Amino acid sequence: PDQMYPLKEAVNIIHFGMEHGIPAERVGRMVAQSYKRAAPNLFDNLTHDRVVDLILLAYSSETDVGQMLKVVSREPGRVVISRTNSPQPCDYFLGVIKGGFELAGLTAKFSETRCQWCANDPACVYEIRWET
């Protein structure tokens, strides 16, 4: 429980689910619930910015994929995150983001604005917007 899980295990879980009809986004939405069960103290007084921080914290401290994520820009009501060289499907990470906001009971709009796999961009880029 005190060690990061290997990315290979996460990819296997995602692909197993997809092979059996579970969309990658749906699997991604369950990540926040699992993280909350493992670290409930981190989920007090959640704001939009705090949910983004938790996603970044989870990826940097709980997995071996932390170096893949970085905040491109952050301003009131908007965050842009890039994800580089991840073998996890783009929809899965979109589900991770959505799941964090759903768990907190917060509304936001989410989109993938660039994709390294579809458009040969250097990274997948996700934009999160909310009312301030």
Side-chain angles (χ1 to χ4, degrees):
D2 295 332
Q3 296 180 358
M4 296 185 290
Y5 67 84
L7 179 59
K8 182 178 178 181
E9 289 182 22
V11 171
N12 286 334
I13 291 168
I14 297 163
H15 285 280
F16 180 83
M18 291 171 66
E19 287 173 352
H20 292 87
I22 301 171
E25 183 180 310
R26 183 170 172 204
V27 176
R29 285 177 183 229
M30 295 186 296
V31 169
Q33 296 167 15
S34 298
Y35 194 45
K36 183 176 181 180
R37 282 193 299 275
N41 57 316
L42 298 177
F43 286 79
D44 294 333
N45 303 317
L46 292 178
T47 64
H48 291 87
D49 283 309
R50 182 73 182 126
V51 170
V52 172
D53 291 341
L54 280 176
I55 292 167
L56 297 170
L57 173 67
Y59 265 73
S60 66
S61 66
E62 303 295 332
T63 72
D64 57 359
V65 298
Q67 301 303 318
M68 293 179 186
L69 293 183
K70 76 175 183 184
V71 174
V72 175
S73 67
R74 189 175 209 151
E75 56 196 65
R78 182 175 178 265
V79 173
V80 177
I81 299 173
S82 73
R83 187 177 74 131
T84 308
N85 296 325
S86 176
Q88 299 166 324
C90 301
D91 287 351
Y92 169 81
F93 187 66
L94 201 54
V96 169
I97 297 168
K98 288 179 179 180
F101 281 85
E102 289 169 353
L103 185 66
L106 300 170
T107 58
K109 294 183 180 180
F110 317 93
S111 62
E112 182 181 17
T113 59
R114 286 188 291 182
C115 179
Q116 70 181 32
W117 307 114
C118 299
N120 206 20
D121 284 324
C124 294
V125 177
Y126 301 85
E127 182 179 43
I128 308 164
R129 291 182 172 271
W130 61 88
E131 296 293 323
T132 57

